[in-house]
Amino acid sequence: MLALSTIESPGQREFPPPSVVGAGPASPAASRQEERWYAAYTCANHEKRVAAQLRARSVEHVLPFYSSMRRWKDRRVVVDMPLFPGYVFVRLALCQRLRVLQIPSVVRLVGFGGQPHALADDEVALLRSSLTGAARFAPHPYLRAGSRVRIARGPLRGVEGILVRKKKQFRVVLSIDVIACSASVEVDCADIERVF
């Protein structure tokens, strides 16, 4: 209390104009109350455990999977693997982030400069579409350069990504910049158009 009074006296305070105080979504307090989607970085191979803890705490989350054929000594098995290893996507207000950060396997919320960075709504819609099974997703190395294309028809209509070719088939690589991860989805070449 004493330190505060020696640093700042009432005559030295500068207050913003009354019309600015508490103004809409630009105020930090309002943005802390708004629920947004964030990427939670987890310990290696703990994504399912984190999802179970989030479910128990009633926190809305998305953990997309893809099916992968694994070959063991005596058999082949199809295993569900996280599409983005090490990440679970959560919806919450920043003032409630301790509900997620107190889970033992969660390292942090992904962000910049020590502040969590919210995902764009269209990226989350893309993640949710991977859960419906309407399109077959697979992980892909994160790419920055390449031909940008837009999917013109089908369940992912309007989604933009990078076109790659794999074993005589076309795939569109969809990237989430906040976590520097990508996934590719198989498309028919007639269903895509170039983005200029």
Side-chain angles (χ1 to χ4, degrees), residues 23-45:
S27 70
S31 65
R32 292 179 56 82
Q33 298 297 329
E34 182 183 351
E35 285 193 352
R36 303 284 308 271
W37 284 96
Y38 297 92
Y41 182 61
T42 68
C43 295
N45 302 319

Side-chain angles (χ1 to χ4, degrees), residues 3-26:
L4 180 61
S5 63
T6 57
I7 293 172
E8 174 184 299
S9 66
Q12 294 173 332
R13 286 187 187 167
E14 291 185 19
F15 293 99
S19 61
V20 177
V21 176

Side-chain angles (χ1 to χ4, degrees), residues 72-89:
W72 293 340
K73 287 182 180 180
D74 58 342
R75 64 186 184 271
R76 291 181 182 187
V77 178
V78 176
V79 180
D80 286 336
M81 303 289 292
L83 186 59
F84 300 105
Y87 297 97
V88 177
F89 303 93

